[in-house]
Amino acid sequence: MNNWDEIDTYVREWLEEAREKILASFSTSIEIETKSDRNDLVTNIDKEIEQFFIQHIKNKFPDHHILGEEGLGEKIDCTNGMLWIVDPIDGTVNFVHQQRNFMISIGIYENGVGKLGYIYDVIHKELYHAVHGEGAYFNDVPIPKLTDAAIENAIVGLNPTWVVENRKIDPKKLSKLVKDVRAIRCYGSAALEIAYVATGRLDAYITMRLSPWDFAAGKVIIEEVGGIMTDIKGEPLKILENSPVFVSKPSLHETILNKYLKEGSL
Ligand code: IPD
Ligand code: CA
Ligand code: CA
Ligand code: CA
């Protein structure tokens, strides 16, 4: 039996310590490398923060498993037991170029069920978190359940990369969506964008390829406020698989899915 309060206390302690390390890094010279392409950046700080969490988790919870973006955790191919899914810096490009608009994202799953989710806005010192079955909180104040928004009043987070030719969705469908909604936003951190949907700052967020560490924490948070997170066909996400992600207020989810994303919706 896991003691969720104990885990919560440690996570908060570690998030604060990680925050201090990240802030301190701004006055050092950061080492930047590229990964899959010239715009896919990783820094020594991403790696150091991931290592920091792994060491602490392993020390306090030696039987828990850890999946981290920078690959310093384990190779995970099943969801049995306790699994921490860690993105040490979500929004590395923002971290490098802007020193803001990036998050630490930690989802904690038990046998494949999301139990705790933490998205920490390091710069604003703002914590979005959720406890499965108990609710979601912004700086420890309960986040109200999401109410619906009409498409014409909606602000939608959308990664502009996907408005150009791609293999997953006809850009004409997204162009129509862009025209019909009130406004489009792109913040460059999936965790931030999901947290924004959870708190009603965005009404929906659509992106075409996320990894487990980008959405693991957000999924726990959004589901606690009655939001819906699926792939762009409306199918449930698999927690260990990369996927397009569509997260939204409940009835807006159905509207966007049927009117803009589904086959034959043009
Ligand atoms: C990225 C950000 C970005 C999303 C990318 C992610 P990273 O995460 O969340 O908003 O569009 O797909 O890979 O690499 O900065 O942790
Ligand atoms: Ca990355
Ligand atoms: Ca990420
Ligand atoms: Ca990252």
Side-chain angles (χ1 to χ4, degrees):
M1 189 64 188
N2 284 296
N3 183 340
W4 302 111
D5 287 341
E6 186 194 7
I7 296 176
D8 179 73
T9 305
Y10 281 122
V11 174
R12 286 162 187 264
E13 211 176 274
W14 300 338
L15 284 172
E16 278 320 306
E17 221 179 304
R19 175 174 184 271
E20 295 297 326
K21 285 178 187 295
I22 292 172
L23 295 182
S25 79
F26 290 145
S27 53
T28 67
S29 100
I30 290 171
E31 295 155 29
I32 305 164
E33 291 168 55
T34 58
K35 290 164 84 176
S36 59
D37 63 57
R38 63 177 293 277
N39 299 321
D40 182 7
L41 307 182
V42 63
T43 73
N44 57 316
I45 309 304
D46 297 68
K47 293 177 193 167
E48 279 170 30
I49 298 297
E50 181 163 315
Q51 192 58 52
F52 165 84
F53 279 105
I54 289 171
Q55 265 165 5
H56 280 297
I57 298 163
K58 283 274 164 228
N59 182 27
K60 292 291 173 198
F61 306 105
D63 57 333
H64 291 192
H65 302 286
I66 311 161
L67 173 65
E69 176 180 7
E70 307 312 336
L72 308 172
E74 301 156 59
K75 189 165 167 9
I76 302 287
D77 49 22
C78 88
T79 55
N80 291 350
M82 288 290 293
L83 174 62
W84 296 58
I85 305 180
V86 178
D87 194 339
I89 296 184
D90 180 60
T92 299
V93 170
N94 292 345
F95 168 67
V96 169
H97 285 261
Q98 307 178 332
Q99 293 81 51
R100 69 201 68 216
N101 296 325
F102 62 87
M103 304 273 158
I104 300 173
S105 175
I106 301 177
I108 304 174
Y109 283 65
E110 182 180 46
N111 298 323
V113 179
K115 293 291 187 173
L116 296 171
Y118 298 84
I119 295 177
Y120 193 34
D121 184 332
V122 165
I123 298 302
H124 295 108
K125 219 174 187 295
E126 289 175 341
L127 178 65
Y128 305 80
H129 92 281
V131 181
H132 179 71
E134 278 181 28
Y137 305 83
F138 174 62
N139 282 341
D140 291 323
V141 176
I143 303 173
K145 293 272 180 207
L146 293 175
T147 53
D148 257 302
I151 194 86
E152 63 272 22
N153 298 333
I155 303 190
V156 176
L158 187 67
N159 186 330
T161 320
W162 303 106
V163 183
V164 300
E165 272 326 306
N166 69 84
R167 276 174 294 159
K168 295 222 173 86
I169 191 157
D170 181 347
K172 284 201 212 100
K173 292 183 180 179
L174 293 178
S175 309
K176 180 161 167 43
L177 178 73
V178 171
K179 280 187 214 144
D180 287 356
V181 297
R182 174 159 291 158
I184 294 292
R185 296 287 180 266
C186 175
Y187 295 95
S189 156
L192 178 155
E193 287 163 299
I194 299 167
Y196 273 20
V197 178
T199 44
R201 297 172 191 164
L202 289 176
D203 298 292
Y205 167 58
I206 306 166
T207 192
M208 299 304 153
R209 199 190 59 199
L210 292 186
S211 299
W213 40 82
D214 299 313
F215 63 79
K219 188 169 186 298
V220 184
I221 297 172
I222 198 76
E223 288 177 354
E224 281 303 312
V225 293
I228 301 177
M229 185 187 278
T230 63
D231 68 10
I232 50 167
K233 293 183 173 147
E235 299 296 328
L237 298 177
K238 297 194 178 83
I239 194 59
L240 294 181
E241 289 181 16
N242 292 353
S243 175
V245 169
F246 167 36
V247 52
S248 174
K249 289 178 169 172
S251 84
L252 191 63
H253 189 276
E254 206 184 324
T255 309
I256 293 180
L257 194 63
N258 291 331
K259 211 168 157 199
Y260 304 92
L261 300 180
K262 271 200 173 153
E263 292 298 317
S265 58
L266 260 181

